[in-house]
Amino acid sequence: MSVDLIFQIAAIGIIVSVLNQVLIRSGREEMAMMTTLAGLVFVLLIIVKEISYLFDTVKSVFGL
């Protein structure tokens, strides 16, 4: 796992947080919730891809 992955996730979190605050202050709570959910799904997709890569590496190391 590289440090770039951590920075990507942190950047997505910061962007989603700022968008969330802007939308809440403008009275669009529903849009803020959808933005938060979209950010969460995006981060989860990144993590699932990395976990898949980890399993492929483990399978190749142990010859499974």
Side-chain angles (χ1 to χ4, degrees), residues 17-46:
S17 175
V18 169
L19 284 173
N20 191 10
Q21 289 300 316
V22 168
L23 288 170
I24 286 175
R25 302 250 189 236
S26 67
R28 298 178 184 231
E29 288 83 13
E30 295 85 14
M31 292 288 286
M33 181 62 72
M34 294 304 286
T35 304
T36 303
L37 288 175
L40 179 67
V41 167
F42 192 68
V43 168
L44 286 176
L45 288 174
I46 292 172

Side-chain angles (χ1 to χ4, degrees), residues 1-61:
M1 181 171 91
S2 67
V3 178
D4 293 336
L5 178 67
I6 296 170
F7 286 144
Q8 280 181 342
I9 293 173
I12 292 169
I14 291 169
I15 291 170
V16 167
S17 175
V18 169
L19 284 173
N20 191 10
Q21 289 300 316
V22 168
L23 288 170
I24 286 175
R25 302 250 189 236
S26 67
R28 298 178 184 231
E29 288 83 13
E30 295 85 14
M31 292 288 286
M33 181 62 72
M34 294 304 286
T35 304
T36 303
L37 288 175
L40 179 67
V41 167
F42 192 68
V43 168
L44 286 176
L45 288 174
I46 292 172
I47 291 174
V48 165
K49 183 175 68 170
E50 290 298 319
I51 290 173
S52 172
Y53 177 70
L54 172 68
F55 285 153
D56 289 339
T57 304
V58 169
K59 280 174 51 177
S60 68
V61 166

